[in-house]
Amino acid sequence: MDFAHRRAREVVHQRQKLGSLLHGDALRGEVRLEGGQIEPRRPGGAAVRSATFNEYDEEVNRSLEVGAKFESADRRVRVNGAAYHNWISGRQLAVQTSAFNPGEVDTINSPGTTRVWGLEIEASVTPIDGLTLNAGYGFADSKRPLVRVLGALRDPGLPLTPEHQGTAAVDYVLFDRGFGKLMGHVDWNISSGYDVGAFTPANAPKVTRNVWNAQLSLANIPVGDSRARVTAWIKNIFDKETLTYVIAVPGDTGFGGLYSPPRTYGVEVGFRF
């Protein structure tokens, strides 16, 4: 009865704290605005995979970014956001010079200017002690000049950059006792389709992400003068099969690719001396 009564009081206290957070404390805090401009450069050189050691010029990336950060007075709510715009001049691209041998490659500079813009936002909320909720979202778009490859004008694309991507995670400390600290974690990663390489044909399958992972850890286990940690984990909980790599087959109209690993689980044991 004592334990049940105490637990009921804790739940009521947590609900009251959550209500206070959402209706009062979260509205008071600190907002910081930031901005900046940088201009990194990638030096030019000679293409070592080129039969003629083709020379190429430097790549210049002018980047403008503005952002804002919010943190509540009790530090239970944090939100960061940023928007950016990049202007890439002389974009360095590896282009295939043989229709049948993908190993014959030159590095060239793209004509004109490649523009990339987007935004990123992430938030972290601790509604009750021991529970942390995290979420993030990113958007990216671009405009690229066409490049002549093997006699045809082609779109170089923007590899490894999905238009939409998001993450979500939950961390919870179940208990913290003298014999150890039990923590749970679940995360989800998702994205729209994207290409893994430049000049990927328009009809090629897109690579995507949509995977759930989880783990349960008992940390700070006293072992003499040391501490141990035992973690049980599972990746790709729902056993989803998604493409992680796609490549055009030389001399053919098909594509080759790799799929994400199946559901995988295991246990890890570590010691801190």
Side-chain angles (χ1 to χ4, degrees):
M1 289 297 293
D2 290 342
F3 173 80
H5 179 65
R6 184 170 66 252
R7 182 58 182 166
R9 291 181 58 187
E10 289 177 358
V11 171
V12 171
H13 176 67
Q14 289 173 350
R15 287 176 178 170
Q16 291 175 343
K17 184 181 295 184
L18 176 58
S20 175
L21 168 69
L22 294 179
H23 294 95
D25 295 344
L27 301 179
R28 298 191 299 271
E30 180 184 5
V31 177
R32 287 176 291 174
L33 301 178
E34 301 176 345
Q37 180 176 346
I38 60 174
E39 192 173 291
R41 297 169 180 261
R42 178 183 294 178
V48 296
R49 295 176 64 186
S50 169
T52 59
F53 287 96
N54 176 60
E55 294 184 3
Y56 54 91
D57 297 325
E58 71 173 359
E59 173 185 291
V60 180
N61 183 358
R62 292 189 297 115
S63 178
L64 176 65
E65 180 174 333
V66 294
K69 296 182 178 181
F70 168 80
E71 184 176 58
S72 65
D74 57 5
R75 297 186 178 182
R76 287 181 174 270
V77 179
R78 294 183 177 91
V79 181
N80 300 329
Y84 61 88
H85 198 133
N86 295 350
W87 294 265
I88 307 173
S89 302
R91 181 185 176 191
Q92 295 173 3
L93 295 166
V95 297
Q96 190 173 325
T97 56
S98 170
F100 300 98
N101 183 5
E104 294 185 18
V105 174
D106 270 351
T107 299
I108 66 169
N109 294 99
S110 169
T113 300
T114 298
R115 296 171 49 216
V116 183
W117 62 91
L119 60 87
E120 298 173 349
I121 185 169
E122 58 183 16
S124 178
V125 180
T126 305
I128 57 177
D129 292 341
L131 175 64
T132 302
L133 311 176
N134 296 287
Y137 169 76
F139 165 80
D141 201 355
S142 63
K143 186 175 182 179
R144 296 94 47 185
L146 298 180
V147 177
R148 189 170 296 277
V149 179
L150 298 176
L153 288 175
R154 295 179 58 185
D155 181 5
L158 199 66
L160 304 176
T161 308
E163 183 177 6
H164 303 279
Q165 57 183 319
T167 62
V170 178
D171 292 276
Y172 185 57
V173 178
L174 286 81
F175 62 74
D176 189 356
R177 302 287 188 267
F179 58 85
K181 181 178 181 180
L182 186 63
M183 303 173 292
H185 171 86
V186 178
D187 63 72
W188 177 42
N189 299 274
I190 189 170
S191 77
S192 56
Y194 62 93
D195 298 322
V196 296
F199 304 107
T200 300
N203 63 332
K206 299 293 184 181
V207 170
T208 60
R209 290 196 305 268
N210 186 3
V211 61
W212 288 80
N213 308 301
Q215 67 178 38
L216 187 65
S217 300
L218 183 61
N220 295 333
I221 306 171
V223 181
D225 295 332
S226 305
R227 296 284 174 171
R229 181 188 185 103
V230 179
T231 301
W233 53 266
I234 179 169
K235 298 180 180 180
N236 194 4
I237 296 175
F238 300 108
D239 202 23
K240 281 188 171 292
E241 187 179 76
T242 57
L243 280 170
T244 59
Y245 186 80
V246 176
I247 187 173
V249 178
D252 197 353
T253 57
F255 300 93
L258 298 174
Y259 284 93
S260 58
R263 181 189 298 115
T264 309
Y265 48 87
V267 176
E268 296 178 357
V269 179
F271 293 90
R272 187 175 72 248
F273 299 97

